[in-house]
Amino acid sequence: QVQLVESGGGLVQAGGSLRLSCAASGRTFSSWSMGWFRQAPGKEREFVAGDSWSGGNTYYADSVKGRFAISRDNAKNTVNLQMNSLKPEDTAVYYCTADPRWPTLVRAAGAYWGQGTQVTVSS
């Protein structure tokens, strides 16, 4: 059974940092694209950051460029999201996702999703 389990969310003051982790199990994702989405109350789920399977290409939403960094450890089957200079507008539930095809993942149609982890940034 394939599972993606996020961790690392919490409450932080504006300007602070958090590191989210996504642990994958049930298969190897080294050749899959993996990424992070977020959903704030009353808003649609939006793309945050992604890493195509080759590992050489990473992508970010304009709103987080320069502040967030995605990384993956294929040996541990994990993908991480380092979030710095957090803002109140970053408050959302953050989801990890995986798919063999990058275009599918970036459309929020990934094959697998985690349950999400709450990130709350206070002003």
Side-chain angles (χ1 to χ4, degrees):
Q1 181 181 1
V2 175
Q3 278 191 315
L4 301 178
V5 179
E6 302 97 336
S7 62
L11 173 65
V12 65
Q13 288 188 332
S17 299
L18 283 174
R19 182 177 177 85
L20 305 183
S21 292
C22 173
S25 61
R27 66 157 296 132
T28 300
F29 287 91
S30 59
S31 62
W32 284 42
S33 296
M34 299 190 75
W36 292 88
F37 281 72
R38 67 186 181 187
Q39 187 166 20
K43 295 188 177 181
E44 292 186 355
R45 192 169 294 190
E46 64 174 358
F47 172 78
V48 175
D51 184 324
S52 64
W53 75 268
S54 67
N57 298 311
T58 56
Y59 304 88
Y60 299 92
D62 288 343
S63 59
V64 306
K65 279 182 182 176
R67 300 188 298 122
F68 291 12
I70 188 171
S71 62
R72 66 193 298 169
D73 185 335
N74 288 330
K76 296 181 179 179
N77 231 17
T78 59
V79 61
N80 304 306
L81 185 67
Q82 178 66 43
M83 305 186 296
N84 300 324
S85 302
L86 283 162
K87 304 175 180 180
E89 51 264 42
D90 294 318
T91 295
V93 177
Y94 283 70
Y95 298 91
C96 175
T97 183
D99 196 274
R101 295 172 296 276
W102 173 253
T104 303
L105 182 141
V106 78
R107 292 199 309 268
Y112 299 109
W113 290 83
Q115 292 298 308
T117 184
Q118 177 70 48
V119 171
T120 303
V121 184
S122 62
S123 57

